[in-house]
Amino acid sequence: MNKEQMTDAIVAAKTQLNLSWEKMGVDLNMSPVWLASACLGMNSAPAEKAAAISSYLGLGEEVTSALIAFPTKIWDQAVPTDPLIYRLYEVVGVYGETLKEVIQEKFGDGIMSAIDFSMEVDKIEDPKGDRVLLTLNGKFLPYKSW
Amino acid sequence: MNKEQMTDAIVAAKTQLNLSWEKMGVDLNMSPVWLASACLGMNSAPAEKAAAISSYLGLGEEVTSALIAFPTKIWDQAVPTDPLIYRLYEVVGVYGETLKEVIQEKFGDGIMSAIDFSMEVDKIEDPKGDRVLLTLNGKFLPYKSW
Amino acid sequence: MNKEQMTDAIVAAKTQLNLSWEKMGVDLNMSPVWLASACLGMNSAPAEKAAAISSYLGLGEEVTSALIAFPTKIWDQAVPTDPLIYRLYEVVGVYGETLKEVIQEKFGDGIMSAIDFSMEVDKIEDPKGDRVLLTLNGKFLPYKSW
Amino acid sequence: MNKEQMTDAIVAAKTQLNLSWEKMGVDLNMSPVWLASACLGMNSAPAEKAAAISSYLGLGEEVTSALIAFPTKIWDQAVPTDPLIYRLYEVVGVYGETLKEVIQEKFGDGIMSAIDFSMEVDKIEDPKGDRVLLTLNGKFLPYKSW
Amino acid sequence: MNKEQMTDAIVAAKTQLNLSWEKMGVDLNMSPVWLASACLGMNSAPAEKAAAISSYLGLGEEVTSALIAFPTKIWDQAVPTDPLIYRLYEVVGVYGETLKEVIQEKFGDGIMSAIDFSMEVDKIEDPKGDRVLLTLNGKFLPYKSW
Amino acid sequence: MNKEQMTDAIVAAKTQLNLSWEKMGVDLNMSPVWLASACLGMNSAPAEKAAAISSYLGLGEEVTSALIAFPTKIWDQAVPTDPLIYRLYEVVGVYGETLKEVIQEKFGDGIMSAIDFSMEVDKIEDPKGDRVLLTLNGKFLPYKSW
Amino acid sequence: MNKEQMTDAIVAAKTQLNLSWEKMGVDLNMSPVWLASACLGMNSAPAEKAAAISSYLGLGEEVTSALIAFPTKIWDQAVPTDPLIYRLYEVVGVYGETLKEVIQEKFGDGIMSAIDFSMEVDKIEDPKGDRVLLTLNGKFLPYKSW
Amino acid sequence: MNKEQMTDAIVAAKTQLNLSWEKMGVDLNMSPVWLASACLGMNSAPAEKAAAISSYLGLGEEVTSALIAFPTKIWDQAVPTDPLIYRLYEVVGVYGETLKEVIQEKFGDGIMSAIDFSMEVDKIEDPKGDRVLLTLNGKFLPYKSW
Amino acid sequence: MNKEQMTDAIVAAKTQLNLSWEKMGVDLNMSPVWLASACLGMNSAPAEKAAAISSYLGLGEEVTSALIAFPTKIWDQAVPTDPLIYRLYEVVGVYGETLKEVIQEKFGDGIMSAIDFSMEVDKIEDPKGDRVLLTLNGKFLPYKSW
Amino acid sequence: MNKEQMTDAIVAAKTQLNLSWEKMGVDLNMSPVWLASACLGMNSAPAEKAAAISSYLGLGEEVTSALIAFPTKIWDQAVPTDPLIYRLYEVVGVYGETLKEVIQEKFGDGIMSAIDFSMEVDKIEDPKGDRVLLTLNGKFLPYKSW
C-alpha cells in the first residue's frame, strides 16, 4: 500500500466516522496539523503513533506500515494556484527579505529549520471576522565556518 | 526618490545610528516586522508613521514621501534560493495541502487573507538551540456564492 | 464521487434536459456564472443550493455532496492558450498596472478581493456586432500597518 | 522621447499639479482607465487627444508625439506578483473555463475582443467595506469557417 | 464522443476511403485547411457543414455533434519541436517586430485578427524545388480609445 | 556600429525624411518586409543593397557595414506579449498540426524553409473592415534517408 | 499501429534475432543512424525501405505502414538529462556561437540544414581510450533577400 | 581585462587586419574552431598559445592573460533562437535517442566526452549546393561500477 | 521487463527478506550506493554483478537482463522538492562557483567526471548529533586545445 | 562596500600577491573551501576571521565589514551551464533518490543539513589520471512529530 492509497483509506474512514482532524488530534494526543500531514502522506509517523492512528480509525496493518514509510516530498506547482495556498506563497514573496532581516538581526547568520519544526493553526473569534493564527516554530540553525 | 533609494537612505542611517529593527520598533511603537517591510519598500506607511520614521532617523521629506508611496510588490525568483527564505517556501510546499485541510475544517471554505494580515518574529531561548517563532495572523475570508 | 465525475454527471444531465446555464440560473435563482463555476468544480456550493441543483437536474446525493465539497483550485497553464481565455489574460497583462493606478487612486493602498467577489456576463446587442459585458465586483481590502 | 521618458514626464507633471487620473479624465472628457493606460505607455493616443493631454499638463510636442506613437505591449511577468494584479490573474485562472461556457452559450463559438474593448473602474460605497466594480466591454468576435 | 475520439474516427474513415484533405475540401466545397482544423478538433463546424462531413465519410450523428461542439484550444508546447511547426514559430520570432512595423504603417495601430481569419496552402511547382505558399487573411482590428 | 545603433540611425533618418517602409521599398526596388527586417537588424543585406539603403537615407559607411554584418537572431519572449505578434503565435499554436497535415499531404514528408523564404503584407480594402493579407513563400525541403 | 507500437515490435524482433543496428544497416544497405532513427519513430521511411526493414525482421504490413507514416517529432525535455544526450546539448551551448562564426565565415550568411542532412557514428580505437567520431553533413542554405 | 573585453579587442584587431579564423588557424597552427572558441571566451588557452595569438594580432599581455584565464561557460538561452544554432539543437532533439542507441551499441554503457573533445568544420563543394561537414571527436567514457 | 518493473521486483524481495542496501552491499561485495543506484534503475550492472544480485534476492533472469540494460537517465524536477535532495541541490547552488575556484586552482582548467565516478555514504556518530559524510570521487578531466 | 566590490578587491589582492586559496587557507588556518566561499560572498565570516583575512591581504576595514555582512545567497541558473558545476548538478539528478534511500536507511527519516555543514576538496594523484575527492560533512537532522 503506497501513500496515496493510504490517504484514500484514511480519508474514507474519517468521513465514515464523521471525524475532524481536530477531534482526532485531541483523542490521539497529536497536533492536528502534524496528524493531517502524516495522513496526507507528507510526513512519516513513528511506529507507535502509526499504530494508534490505524487502530483509532479501525484500519489494518497495511495502513500502519504506509504511515511509517519515509515519504518523498513532491509538489508539482512551483507557484501554487489554490488561493489559500497561494496567499501563503505570497507572504513568502512579500515578506521573505523582511523576515531574513529581522530573524538574522535577532539570531545571527543562519536559518529557521523546516525539519526541526512544528506548526499550529488556531482560530481567533472576532466580531469583525474571525482570524486565522498560524504559528511556526523552528530551531534556529547558525551557519558555521570551518 | 524611489523606493530603492529610500531603502538605501534608511539602511545607511540605521547603520550610522547603530540601530536594530527591534529597537526602532519599540521606540516608534511599531511592529519590527511591519517597520522593516515598509523600510525595505514592500509596504506603504500611513503619513504620520512615515513622518515618525523619517524624523527618528534624521531623514527628510523625500524619505517620508517615498515611505507613503504605494509600492508595486515584485519578486524575481518564483522559487527563492536564499536558504532562510527557501525554508519558508518549503514549508508552503510541504504543508500547503495540510493547512488547507485544517483551516477549512475550522473555518469553512475560504482563505486566510494576506492583506488584512500581520506577522511577528519571536525568539525562544532553549539550551538545545534557540527557536524561531513566527506568528501569522490573517483575517479569514469566506468564499461567497451569488 | 470527485469533482470531475460530478461535472460529467451534471453536464450529461444538462445536455439531456437541453438546459443552459442561463435558464438554470433563472430557475434556481442563482447567478449563471456562479452556478457554472460550482458545476465545473471551481467553487463549493452551500448545502441547500447543492441540493437544489441536484434535485433540479434529477441527480442524487452523491452529486449534492460533491457540490458541497471544498475544491482545490488548480489550473495547469500559467499562460492560457484558448483564445477566449487568453484575451482575458491579455487584458490583465496590458491593463494591470493601469488598474493598479486607478483603483489605488480611488481607494488607497490595497486590492480588490477575488474571494469576496462576484461576476456577471451580459450581452449588449449592437448592429455593428454584439458586445460582451463582464462585470467584476470585489470588496476592496486595504493594507494595514501593525 | 520614448514611452518611458514620456511616462516619467507625465507623472511628474501630474504630481506637480496635484491631479488624479479621475480629474484629468473628467476635465479632458476621456475615460480615466484609457487615459492612464495611454500615459503609462500601453496604448497610443489619437493626435487630438495626445495634444489635449500634453497641453492640459503644460508639456510639449515631444510628449504629444510619444503619446501618438504605437506601443509594443510587453509585460515581464507571465504570472504577476503584485497582489492587486495577481488577484485579476487569479480570477482568469479560477473563472476562465466558466466564462468560456457562459459567454459561448450566449453568443456562439467566438471570443470577447481585447482590442475593440473598453474598461471602467467604479467605487461602490458600502458600510461593510467599499467595493470595486470593474466593467469590461468587448466586441464579440465569432469564429468563421471558410 | 469527445473531440479526440471524433478525430480518430474521421482519420480512420479518411484512410479507409483513401481520401485527402484536398479532395475532401473540393468535394465538400470547404477549404482544406479549415476542414482539416475542424476534423483535428481545433475549430467547430456549423451544423450543416458538420452533417455534410459526417455523411461524406459515412459516419454517424455522434461525429456530427462532436464536430459542432465548441473546442477548448490547447497546445502543450510553448515552443513547438516538430521542424515543420517550429519553422513557423521561427518566422514569428524573426519577423514579428518587422510585421508589426509594416502592418501598423499600412493600417494604423491595431492587429490582424486570428478569429475573423482564414488561411490557405498552395503548391508552386519550381524546377529548383517546389515552394509552399501560405496565405493568411485576417481582418484588421484597430485599437480604440474611450 | 552594432545592429542596435544602426537601427536607431536608420529609424531617425526615416522619421526625419518622413518616409515609410512601403515608399522606401518601392524607391529602392526591395520588398518592404525584407527591407524593414534588414533595417531592424534581423537580416543581413548584400553589399550593394546595403549601400543603396544608406545612400538613400543619407547615412554613411558605418551603417552600410552594419547592414552587411551577419546578425545573431535573438528574441527574448518564448511567448510574445504584444497583441499583434501574439496573434501570429496563436495561429501557429491553433493551426500548426493542421498545416503539417495539409502541407505534407501535398508535398510529402518535409518542411517549409524559413531560410529560402520571403513574405509580403498586403491590404485588402473592405467596407466591413479592411483585411491584412500575409503571404509566406518558402521552399519545400524534403527529408532524406541515407 | 502507431509509431510507439511499431518501435516496440521492431525492438522485440531485433532482440529476438540478436541483431545490432550496425549489422542491420550493413545487411539492408542503410546507414545505421538513419535506420535507428526510422525504427525509433523519428523519421519516415520510403516505401521500399520500409518494406525491406519489415521483411528482414519478419514483421508484417502494419509495421511497414507505420514506418512510412510521417512522424510528428516531439521531445519533452528542453534540456535533456541523460548524460550522453546532455553532452551533445552542452556542445551546442559551448560551441554554438563559435560554429556560427566559423561556418558563416566559410559560407556566408545562412545555416546548415537539419533536413537535407545525414549523420554517421564511427569508433576510433585508441589505446588511451576509444573515441567516438560523429560526422554531421548538412546542406548549406543561404539567406536570401527579396 | 575580462573575457568580454578580450573578445572585443581580438575581434577589432582581426577586422583591422582583415583576417579570418581560417587563416589565423593555419598561420598559428591551431584549429580554427578551437581558436575561435578561445577568442570568444569559451575556452582557456595554454600560455604559449595565448602568447602566440596576442603577438600575431599585435595585442598586449592583458589579452594574453585573459586568454589564459579559465572561463565560466554560461549561455543564456536554454533553447537557442538563432537559426544556425537552433538547427544544431534540433539535431540533438531529433537524433539524441538514436545516437544513444548507436553509440552505446558500439561502445557499451557510457558517453562521448565533451571535455576530451575536438571539432572541425569543413566545406564540401557541391553543384547542387555546398555542404557543411561537422566532425565531432570525443573520448568514450564508460560508466563504472564500484 | 523494464527498469521500473525491475525496481518493484527488487524492492519487494528486499522488503520480504528484511534486507538493507548496506547488508546487501557487504554480502555481495558491492558499494551500497552503487548497488542501490543500479537497483533503482539509474545505472546498468555488468553481467556477473547483475546475476549475483538476482540470485541473492531469489529473482530470475528477467531481473538480471533488466539490471544489465543501459538506462536512459531521466529526472523530472529541474529543482528537486524533497528536502533531502534539495539540500544537495542547494550545496551545488551555494558552493558551485567556490568548488570551481578551488578545484581548478588545484588541477588546472577542467572538470570532475560524473561518469568515471564513485560515491560513498558514511555515518559519523556524534553526541551532539550524528553526521552524514558523503564522499565523491571523480576523475579529473582537463580541457584540451586542438 | 557590497559583497561584489569586496570580492573584486580580494581577488585583485590575491592575484597581486600571487596567492592560492590553498596557501591562504593554510596560512590563516581556515579551510580553503570555506575561505573561498566567504571571499566570493556566499558565506559571512566571524569578525576575527574577517579581520585576519583583510589584514593578511593588506586590505582595510571596509573589506572586513563586507566579509562579516550576512549574504543573501542567490544563484541565477536553476540548471547551471558551466560543465564543472553541471556535473555536480548531474550527480544530484542521477543519485538523488539513491542517496535518499541509503542515508535514510542508515539514519532514519530526515536530511543532511546544508547549514551545519562543511566540505573539502582533495587531490588524489593517480598515474591513470588524478582524481578529485569531494567530502561533504553535514549534521543529520531527523524529522520530528508533534
Side-chain angles (χ1 to χ4, degrees):
Chain A
M1 178 178 270
N2 62 29
K3 292 272 181 190
E4 281 184 50
Q5 295 163 328
M6 172 197 85
T7 297
D8 289 348
I10 289 174
V11 168
K14 169 172 172 287
T15 303
Q16 186 82 19
L17 299 168
N18 204 23
L19 292 166
S20 65
W21 301 113
E22 188 73 25
K23 177 166 170 41
M24 285 172 67
V26 168
D27 289 353
L28 287 162
N29 198 27
M30 301 170 192
S31 152
V33 172
W34 177 82
L35 180 67
S37 83
C39 291
L40 295 177
M42 285 301 251
N43 267 314
S44 62
E48 69 280 20
K49 288 189 174 173
I53 296 167
S54 292
S55 156
Y56 180 87
L57 292 166
L59 298 168
E61 290 215 358
E62 277 213 319
V63 169
T64 305
S65 297
L67 280 163
I68 292 170
F70 303 165
T72 297
K73 299 177 183 187
I74 288 179
W75 55 96
D76 291 334
Q77 297 187 301
V79 178
T81 56
D82 185 80
L84 185 141
I85 304 174
Y86 182 82
R87 296 307 179 272
L88 298 169
Y89 173 82
E90 188 175 285
V91 165
V92 176
V94 173
Y95 293 98
E97 288 294 333
T98 292
L99 290 171
K100 185 172 163 69
E101 279 282 318
V102 174
I103 291 173
Q104 294 186 339
E105 173 183 292
K106 266 196 160 75
F107 291 84
D109 199 9
I111 66 158
M112 181 182 83
S113 179
I115 307 298
D116 187 334
F117 172 84
S118 66
M119 186 164 32
E120 298 304 335
V121 173
D122 290 291
K123 184 179 190 168
I124 307 179
E125 306 212 345
D126 186 323
K128 285 176 296 181
D130 294 344
R131 300 188 73 83
V132 183
L133 194 75
L134 282 192
T135 315
L136 288 71
N137 181 322
K139 190 177 182 181
F140 179 75
L141 304 180
Y143 285 109
K144 47 176 283 191
S145 60
W146 71 91
Chain B
M1 178 178 267
N2 63 28
K3 293 272 183 191
E4 282 184 51
Q5 295 163 328
M6 175 197 82
T7 297
D8 289 348
I10 289 174
V11 168
K14 168 171 172 287
T15 303
Q16 187 80 20
L17 299 168
N18 205 23
L19 292 166
S20 66
W21 301 113
E22 187 73 24
K23 177 166 169 40
M24 285 173 68
V26 168
D27 289 354
L28 288 162
N29 199 28
M30 301 169 192
S31 152
V33 172
W34 177 82
L35 180 66
S37 85
C39 292
L40 295 177
M42 285 301 251
N43 267 314
S44 62
E48 68 279 18
K49 288 189 175 175
I53 295 168
S54 292
S55 157
Y56 180 87
L57 292 167
L59 298 169
E61 291 216 357
E62 279 214 318
V63 168
T64 305
S65 298
L67 280 164
I68 292 169
F70 302 166
T72 297
K73 300 178 183 185
I74 288 180
W75 54 95
D76 291 335
Q77 297 187 300
V79 178
T81 57
D82 184 80
L84 185 141
I85 305 173
Y86 182 81
R87 296 306 180 274
L88 298 170
Y89 173 83
E90 188 175 288
V91 166
V92 175
V94 173
Y95 292 99
E97 288 295 334
T98 292
L99 290 171
K100 187 173 161 71
E101 279 281 320
V102 174
I103 291 173
Q104 294 186 339
E105 173 184 291
K106 266 196 159 73
F107 291 83
D109 198 6
I111 67 159
M112 180 183 83
S113 180
I115 307 297
D116 188 336
F117 173 83
S118 66
M119 183 163 35
E120 299 303 334
V121 173
D122 290 292
K123 184 178 191 167
I124 308 180
E125 306 212 347
D126 185 324
K128 285 177 295 180
D130 294 343
R131 301 187 73 83
V132 183
L133 193 74
L134 283 191
T135 315
L136 288 70
N137 180 321
K139 189 176 182 182
F140 179 75
L141 304 180
Y143 285 109
K144 46 176 283 191
S145 60
W146 71 91
Chain C
M1 179 178 269
N2 62 28
K3 292 272 181 190
E4 282 184 51
Q5 295 162 328
M6 172 198 85
T7 297
D8 290 348
I10 289 174
V11 168
K14 169 172 171 286
T15 303
Q16 187 80 20
L17 299 169
N18 204 24
L19 292 165
S20 64
W21 300 113
E22 188 72 24
K23 178 168 169 40
M24 285 172 68
V26 169
D27 289 353
L28 287 161
N29 197 28
M30 301 170 192
S31 151
V33 172
W34 177 82
L35 180 67
S37 84
C39 292
L40 295 177
M42 284 301 251
N43 267 314
S44 62
E48 70 279 19
K49 288 189 174 174
I53 296 167
S54 294
S55 156
Y56 180 87
L57 293 166
L59 298 168
E61 290 215 358
E62 279 213 318
V63 168
T64 305
S65 298
L67 280 164
I68 292 170
F70 303 165
T72 297
K73 299 176 183 186
I74 288 179
W75 55 95
D76 290 335
Q77 298 186 301
V79 179
T81 57
D82 185 80
L84 185 141
I85 304 173
Y86 182 82
R87 295 307 180 273
L88 299 169
Y89 173 83
E90 189 175 285
V91 166
V92 175
V94 172
Y95 293 99
E97 289 293 333
T98 292
L99 290 171
K100 186 173 162 69
E101 279 281 319
V102 174
I103 291 173
Q104 294 187 338
E105 173 183 291
K106 266 196 160 75
F107 291 83
D109 199 8
I111 66 158
M112 181 182 84
S113 180
I115 308 298
D116 187 334
F117 172 84
S118 65
M119 185 163 33
E120 298 303 334
V121 173
D122 291 291
K123 184 178 191 168
I124 309 179
E125 307 213 344
D126 185 324
K128 286 177 296 182
D130 294 344
R131 300 188 72 84
V132 183
L133 194 75
L134 282 192
T135 315
L136 287 71
N137 181 322
K139 189 177 182 182
F140 180 74
L141 303 180
Y143 285 110
K144 48 176 282 191
S145 60
W146 71 91
Chain D
M1 178 178 266
N2 63 28
K3 293 273 182 190
E4 281 184 50
Q5 295 163 329
M6 174 198 84
T7 297
D8 290 347
I10 288 174
V11 168
K14 169 171 172 286
T15 302
Q16 187 80 20
L17 298 168
N18 204 25
L19 292 166
S20 65
W21 301 113
E22 188 72 24
K23 177 166 170 42
M24 286 171 68
V26 168
D27 290 353
L28 288 161
N29 199 26
M30 301 169 192
S31 152
V33 172
W34 177 82
L35 179 68
S37 84
C39 291
L40 295 177
M42 285 302 252
N43 266 315
S44 63
E48 69 278 19
K49 288 190 175 174
I53 295 168
S54 292
S55 157
Y56 180 87
L57 292 167
L59 298 168
E61 291 215 357
E62 279 213 318
V63 168
T64 306
S65 298
L67 280 164
I68 292 169
F70 302 166
T72 298
K73 300 178 183 186
I74 288 179
W75 54 95
D76 291 334
Q77 297 187 301
V79 178
T81 57
D82 184 80
L84 186 141
I85 305 173
Y86 182 82
R87 296 307 180 273
L88 298 170
Y89 173 83
E90 189 175 286
V91 166
V92 175
V94 173
Y95 293 99
E97 288 295 333
T98 293
L99 289 171
K100 187 173 162 71
E101 279 282 319
V102 175
I103 291 172
Q104 295 185 338
E105 173 184 290
K106 267 196 160 71
F107 291 83
D109 199 6
I111 66 158
M112 180 183 81
S113 180
I115 307 298
D116 188 336
F117 173 82
S118 65
M119 183 163 35
E120 299 303 334
V121 172
D122 290 292
K123 183 177 190 168
I124 308 179
E125 306 210 347
D126 185 322
K128 284 177 296 179
D130 294 344
R131 300 186 73 84
V132 183
L133 194 76
L134 282 191
T135 316
L136 287 71
N137 180 320
K139 189 177 182 182
F140 180 74
L141 303 179
Y143 285 110
K144 46 176 283 190
S145 61
W146 71 91
Chain E
M1 179 179 269
N2 62 28
K3 293 272 182 190
E4 282 184 50
Q5 295 163 328
M6 172 198 85
T7 297
D8 290 348
I10 289 174
V11 168
K14 169 174 171 286
T15 303
Q16 187 81 19
L17 300 168
N18 204 24
L19 292 166
S20 64
W21 301 113
E22 189 72 24
K23 179 167 168 40
M24 285 172 67
V26 168
D27 290 353
L28 287 162
N29 198 26
M30 300 169 193
S31 153
V33 173
W34 178 82
L35 180 67
S37 83
C39 292
L40 295 176
M42 285 301 251
N43 267 313
S44 62
E48 70 279 20
K49 289 190 175 174
I53 296 167
S54 293
S55 156
Y56 181 87
L57 293 166
L59 298 169
E61 290 215 359
E62 278 213 318
V63 168
T64 305
S65 298
L67 280 164
I68 292 170
F70 302 165
T72 297
K73 298 176 183 188
I74 287 179
W75 54 95
D76 291 335
Q77 297 187 301
V79 179
T81 57
D82 184 79
L84 185 141
I85 304 173
Y86 182 82
R87 296 307 179 273
L88 298 170
Y89 173 83
E90 189 175 285
V91 165
V92 176
V94 172
Y95 293 98
E97 288 294 333
T98 293
L99 290 170
K100 186 173 163 69
E101 279 282 319
V102 175
I103 291 172
Q104 294 186 339
E105 173 183 290
K106 266 196 161 74
F107 291 84
D109 199 8
I111 66 158
M112 181 183 83
S113 180
I115 307 298
D116 188 334
F117 172 85
S118 66
M119 185 163 33
E120 297 305 332
V121 173
D122 290 292
K123 183 179 192 169
I124 307 178
E125 306 213 344
D126 185 323
K128 286 178 295 182
D130 293 344
R131 300 188 72 83
V132 183
L133 194 75
L134 282 192
T135 315
L136 288 71
N137 181 322
K139 189 177 182 182
F140 180 74
L141 304 180
Y143 286 109
K144 47 177 282 190
S145 60
W146 70 92
Chain F
M1 178 178 266
N2 63 28
K3 293 272 182 192
E4 282 183 51
Q5 295 163 327
M6 174 197 83
T7 297
D8 290 347
I10 289 174
V11 168
K14 169 171 171 288
T15 303
Q16 187 81 20
L17 299 167
N18 205 24
L19 293 165
S20 65
W21 301 113
E22 188 73 24
K23 176 165 170 44
M24 286 172 67
V26 169
D27 289 354
L28 288 161
N29 199 27
M30 300 169 192
S31 152
V33 171
W34 176 82
L35 180 67
S37 84
C39 291
L40 295 177
M42 286 302 252
N43 266 315
S44 62
E48 68 280 17
K49 287 190 175 174
I53 295 167
S54 292
S55 157
Y56 180 87
L57 292 166
L59 297 168
E61 290 215 358
E62 279 214 318
V63 168
T64 306
S65 298
L67 280 163
I68 292 170
F70 303 165
T72 297
K73 300 178 182 184
I74 288 180
W75 54 94
D76 291 335
Q77 297 187 299
V79 178
T81 56
D82 185 80
L84 185 141
I85 305 174
Y86 182 82
R87 295 307 179 273
L88 298 169
Y89 173 83
E90 188 175 286
V91 165
V92 176
V94 173
Y95 293 99
E97 289 294 332
T98 293
L99 289 171
K100 187 173 162 70
E101 279 281 319
V102 174
I103 291 173
Q104 295 186 338
E105 173 184 290
K106 266 195 160 74
F107 291 84
D109 198 7
I111 66 158
M112 180 183 82
S113 181
I115 308 296
D116 188 336
F117 173 83
S118 66
M119 183 164 34
E120 299 302 335
V121 172
D122 290 292
K123 184 178 189 168
I124 308 179
E125 305 210 347
D126 185 323
K128 284 178 296 181
D130 294 344
R131 300 187 72 83
V132 183
L133 194 76
L134 282 191
T135 316
L136 287 71
N137 180 321
K139 190 176 181 181
F140 180 74
L141 304 180
Y143 286 109
K144 45 176 284 190
S145 60
W146 71 89
Chain G
M1 177 179 269
N2 63 28
K3 292 273 181 190
E4 281 184 50
Q5 295 162 328
M6 172 198 85
T7 297
D8 290 347
I10 289 174
V11 168
K14 169 172 171 285
T15 303
Q16 186 81 20
L17 299 168
N18 204 25
L19 293 165
S20 65
W21 301 113
E22 189 72 25
K23 179 168 168 39
M24 285 172 67
V26 169
D27 289 354
L28 287 161
N29 199 27
M30 300 170 192
S31 152
V33 172
W34 178 81
L35 180 66
S37 84
C39 292
L40 295 177
M42 284 301 251
N43 267 313
S44 63
E48 70 280 19
K49 288 189 175 174
I53 296 167
S54 293
S55 156
Y56 180 87
L57 293 165
L59 298 168
E61 290 216 358
E62 277 213 319
V63 168
T64 305
S65 298
L67 280 163
I68 292 170
F70 302 166
T72 297
K73 298 177 184 187
I74 288 179
W75 54 95
D76 291 334
Q77 297 186 302
V79 179
T81 56
D82 184 80
L84 186 141
I85 304 173
Y86 182 82
R87 296 307 180 272
L88 299 169
Y89 173 84
E90 189 175 285
V91 166
V92 175
V94 173
Y95 294 99
E97 288 293 333
T98 292
L99 290 170
K100 185 172 162 71
E101 279 281 319
V102 175
I103 291 173
Q104 295 186 339
E105 174 184 291
K106 267 197 161 75
F107 291 83
D109 199 8
I111 66 157
M112 181 183 83
S113 180
I115 307 298
D116 187 335
F117 172 85
S118 66
M119 186 164 33
E120 297 304 334
V121 173
D122 290 291
K123 183 179 191 168
I124 307 179
E125 306 212 345
D126 187 322
K128 286 178 295 182
D130 294 344
R131 299 187 72 83
V132 183
L133 194 76
L134 282 191
T135 315
L136 288 71
N137 180 322
K139 189 177 182 181
F140 179 75
L141 304 180
Y143 285 109
K144 46 176 285 191
S145 61
W146 70 92
Chain H
M1 179 179 265
N2 62 28
K3 293 273 182 191
E4 282 184 50
Q5 294 162 328
M6 174 198 82
T7 297
D8 289 349
I10 289 174
V11 168
K14 170 173 171 285
T15 303
Q16 186 81 19
L17 299 167
N18 204 24
L19 293 166
S20 66
W21 301 114
E22 188 72 24
K23 177 166 170 42
M24 285 172 68
V26 169
D27 289 354
L28 288 162
N29 199 26
M30 301 169 193
S31 153
V33 171
W34 177 82
L35 180 66
S37 84
C39 291
L40 295 177
M42 286 301 252
N43 266 315
S44 62
E48 69 278 18
K49 287 190 174 173
I53 295 167
S54 292
S55 157
Y56 180 87
L57 292 167
L59 298 168
E61 290 215 359
E62 279 213 318
V63 168
T64 306
S65 298
L67 281 163
I68 292 169
F70 302 165
T72 297
K73 300 177 182 185
I74 289 180
W75 54 94
D76 291 335
Q77 297 187 299
V79 178
T81 56
D82 184 80
L84 185 141
I85 305 173
Y86 182 81
R87 296 306 180 273
L88 298 169
Y89 173 83
E90 188 174 287
V91 166
V92 175
V94 173
Y95 292 99
E97 289 294 332
T98 293
L99 290 171
K100 187 173 162 70
E101 279 281 319
V102 174
I103 292 172
Q104 294 186 339
E105 173 184 290
K106 265 195 161 73
F107 291 84
D109 198 7
I111 67 159
M112 180 182 83
S113 180
I115 308 296
D116 188 336
F117 172 84
S118 66
M119 183 163 33
E120 299 303 334
V121 172
D122 290 291
K123 184 178 190 169
I124 308 179
E125 306 210 347
D126 185 323
K128 285 178 296 182
D130 294 343
R131 299 187 73 84
V132 184
L133 194 75
L134 283 191
T135 317
L136 287 71
N137 181 321
K139 189 176 182 181
F140 180 74
L141 304 180
Y143 286 109
K144 45 176 287 191
S145 60
W146 71 88
Chain I
M1 178 179 269
N2 62 28
K3 293 271 182 191
E4 281 184 51
Q5 295 162 328
M6 172 197 85
T7 297
D8 289 348
I10 289 174
V11 168
K14 169 173 172 285
T15 303
Q16 187 80 20
L17 299 168
N18 204 25
L19 292 166
S20 66
W21 300 114
E22 189 72 25
K23 177 166 170 42
M24 285 171 68
V26 169
D27 289 354
L28 287 162
N29 198 28
M30 301 169 192
S31 152
V33 172
W34 178 81
L35 180 67
S37 83
C39 292
L40 295 177
M42 285 302 252
N43 268 314
S44 62
E48 69 280 19
K49 287 189 176 174
I53 295 167
S54 293
S55 157
Y56 181 87
L57 292 166
L59 298 168
E61 290 216 358
E62 277 213 319
V63 168
T64 305
S65 298
L67 280 163
I68 291 170
F70 303 166
T72 297
K73 299 177 184 186
I74 288 179
W75 54 96
D76 291 334
Q77 297 187 302
V79 179
T81 56
D82 185 80
L84 186 141
I85 304 173
Y86 182 82
R87 296 307 180 272
L88 298 169
Y89 173 84
E90 189 175 285
V91 165
V92 176
V94 173
Y95 293 99
E97 289 293 333
T98 292
L99 290 171
K100 185 172 162 71
E101 279 281 319
V102 175
I103 290 173
Q104 295 186 338
E105 173 184 290
K106 267 197 161 75
F107 291 83
D109 198 7
I111 67 157
M112 181 183 83
S113 180
I115 308 298
D116 187 335
F117 172 85
S118 67
M119 185 163 34
E120 298 303 335
V121 173
D122 290 292
K123 183 178 191 169
I124 308 179
E125 306 211 345
D126 186 322
K128 285 178 295 183
D130 294 344
R131 300 188 72 83
V132 183
L133 194 75
L134 283 192
T135 315
L136 288 71
N137 180 321
K139 190 177 181 181
F140 179 74
L141 304 180
Y143 285 109
K144 47 175 284 191
S145 60
W146 71 92
Chain J
M1 179 179 267
N2 63 28
K3 293 271 183 192
E4 282 184 51
Q5 294 163 328
M6 174 198 83
T7 297
D8 289 347
I10 289 174
V11 168
K14 169 172 171 287
T15 303
Q16 187 81 19
L17 299 168
N18 205 24
L19 293 166
S20 65
W21 300 114
E22 187 73 24
K23 178 166 167 42
M24 285 172 67
V26 168
D27 289 353
L28 288 161
N29 199 27
M30 300 169 192
S31 152
V33 172
W34 177 82
L35 180 66
S37 84
C39 292
L40 296 177
M42 285 301 252
N43 266 314
S44 62
E48 68 279 18
K49 287 189 175 176
I53 296 167
S54 291
S55 157
Y56 180 87
L57 292 166
L59 297 168
E61 290 216 358
E62 278 213 318
V63 168
T64 306
S65 298
L67 281 163
I68 292 170
F70 302 166
T72 297
K73 300 177 182 185
I74 288 180
W75 54 95
D76 291 335
Q77 296 187 301
V79 179
T81 56
D82 184 80
L84 186 142
I85 305 173
Y86 182 81
R87 295 308 179 271
L88 298 169
Y89 173 83
E90 188 174 287
V91 165
V92 175
V94 173
Y95 293 99
E97 288 294 333
T98 292
L99 290 170
K100 187 173 162 70
E101 279 281 319
V102 174
I103 291 173
Q104 295 186 339
E105 173 184 291
K106 266 195 161 73
F107 291 84
D109 198 8
I111 66 159
M112 180 183 82
S113 180
I115 308 297
D116 188 336
F117 172 83
S118 66
M119 184 164 32
E120 299 303 333
V121 172
D122 290 292
K123 183 177 190 169
I124 307 180
E125 305 211 346
D126 185 323
K128 286 178 295 181
D130 295 342
R131 300 187 72 83
V132 184
L133 194 75
L134 282 191
T135 316
L136 288 70
N137 181 322
K139 189 176 181 182
F140 179 74
L141 304 180
Y143 286 109
K144 46 176 284 191
S145 61
W146 70 90

